[in-house]
Amino acid sequence: MVDAGGLVEQGKDIMTVKHVNNRVRYANKTIKKNNRSSCKKIRREVVFPRVPDVLQELYVSCREIFKGPGTVPPASDVNKLCSILDKMKPEDVGLSKNLHFFKATGAVKGTPRVTYTTIYQCDQFSLCIFFLPETAVIPLHNHPEMTVFSKLLLGTMHIKSYDWVDPVDMNDAMPSSQLRMAKLKANSTYTAPCDTSVLYPTTGGNIHQFTAITPCAVLDVIGPPYSKEDGRDCSYYKEFPYVDGETTRVRDGYGWLEEIEAPEVAEMDRIEYLGPQIIENTTC
């Protein structure tokens, strides 16, 4: 494993992220001291960095705000979470922009894989970080019955998102029973630091795709989290341009989406989170 360089230092303990073959993982190190005046060996335990106030505040607020499946946080709570996430920096979750992962490493054959780590998860919400190497893609997918807050911590990312169009609002017949009409909600590039984006169960771009322009790290707050057992499984989609049947003209702002099997680029590598640890006063 090659040392990644840029470290995030917390007191005498150092938390680093290391990058191997376009993958990311955390590692713990301690600083060694030479004591020539004593022959006794000094034994030290690795201690996790102190939890930043903003990360602990995020956890406590999520525990209060997310009420479980079938609920959507009110606007006041959405604004509260956004204000917390907008303050968050990479260092709050043990990351540094000086890491080799976030620097250009040359061309990679094929589409590089995405790596993710879970900071915390319970039945009501989850806190996850996704690491996208340059040109990596999280393909078009949905978030059934979920409210999702995305905070780009590092890098530049293109986000494209859709919402379903209500059948009663559709003037044209579907070209195929396998297709469903959707309205484009976002199709823009974002560079950290930037404002937190929010999507809701039926609005705000519930179906979205991430494409890394540069290596990226994005923090997602998802409530409630994915659960196959509870019917909140992830679906993937292929998009087709919306064509006016009478004029054969592409209509901007709309598209046809077809549900597909999970594409190969949807596969991710999971790593253990060893950044600052949340203090759980009570279970949620």
Side-chain angles (χ1 to χ4, degrees), residues 51-236:
V51 58
D53 292 339
V54 67
L55 179 58
Q56 186 65 25
E57 182 184 7
L58 176 65
Y59 161 73
V60 172
S61 296
C62 287
R63 194 181 63 193
E64 296 172 349
I65 289 171
F66 289 106
K67 306 300 183 181
T71 63
V72 176
S76 58
D77 287 340
V78 169
N79 291 335
K80 180 179 180 180
L81 281 185
C82 284
S83 66
I84 296 172
L85 287 164
D86 286 345
K87 294 184 296 184
M88 293 195 70
K89 301 177 181 179
E91 292 79 7
D92 295 322
V93 290
L95 299 178
S96 168
K97 63 182 179 182
N98 294 322
L99 297 173
H100 282 186
F101 174 80
F102 298 109
K103 298 179 180 180
T105 56
V108 177
K109 292 183 179 180
T111 302
R113 290 168 69 98
V114 175
T115 302
Y116 76 99
T117 189
T118 301
I119 300 174
Y120 180 85
Q121 180 166 324
C122 64
D123 291 340
Q124 280 70 47
F125 67 91
S126 65
L127 309 177
C128 303
I129 306 173
F130 294 88
F131 301 96
L132 289 78
E134 184 177 346
T135 73
V137 176
I138 299 179
L140 203 60
H141 63 286
N142 69 341
H143 299 81
E145 302 178 27
M146 303 176 194
T147 303
V148 182
F149 298 74
S150 294
K151 169 63 176 178
L152 184 61
L153 296 172
L154 287 166
T156 298
M157 173 183 290
H158 182 269
I159 300 178
K160 190 173 190 178
S161 65
Y162 288 92
D163 283 330
W164 294 124
V165 172
D166 192 315
V168 300
D169 296 330
M170 296 172 61
N171 297 321
D172 298 330
M174 289 184 295
S176 168
S177 60
Q178 303 299 318
L179 300 179
R180 185 174 175 184
M181 189 178 179
K183 184 175 182 178
L184 188 67
K185 299 299 293 185
N187 189 20
S188 302
T189 298
Y190 302 85
T191 298
C194 56
D195 293 340
T196 302
S197 62
V198 187
L199 62 84
Y200 301 90
T202 59
T203 61
N206 185 275
I207 306 165
H208 71 191
Q209 173 176 295
F210 289 164
T211 302
I213 308 301
T214 69
C216 297
V218 58
L219 170 63
D220 266 10
V221 178
I222 306 174
Y226 284 105
S227 173
K228 290 184 179 181
E229 294 76 11
D230 297 321
R232 296 190 305 276
D233 197 6
C234 183
S235 297
Y236 294 89

Side-chain angles (χ1 to χ4, degrees), residues 221-266:
V221 178
I222 306 174
Y226 284 105
S227 173
K228 290 184 179 181
E229 294 76 11
D230 297 321
R232 296 190 305 276
D233 197 6
C234 183
S235 297
Y236 294 89
Y237 299 91
K238 182 178 180 180
E239 57 184 324
F240 299 89
Y242 179 93
V243 179
D244 190 316
E246 295 181 359
T247 63
T248 65
R249 178 177 58 85
V250 175
R251 184 178 176 185
D252 293 334
Y254 291 85
W256 297 107
L257 301 186
E258 178 183 14
E259 185 172 346
I260 60 174
E261 295 293 329
E264 185 176 349
V265 294

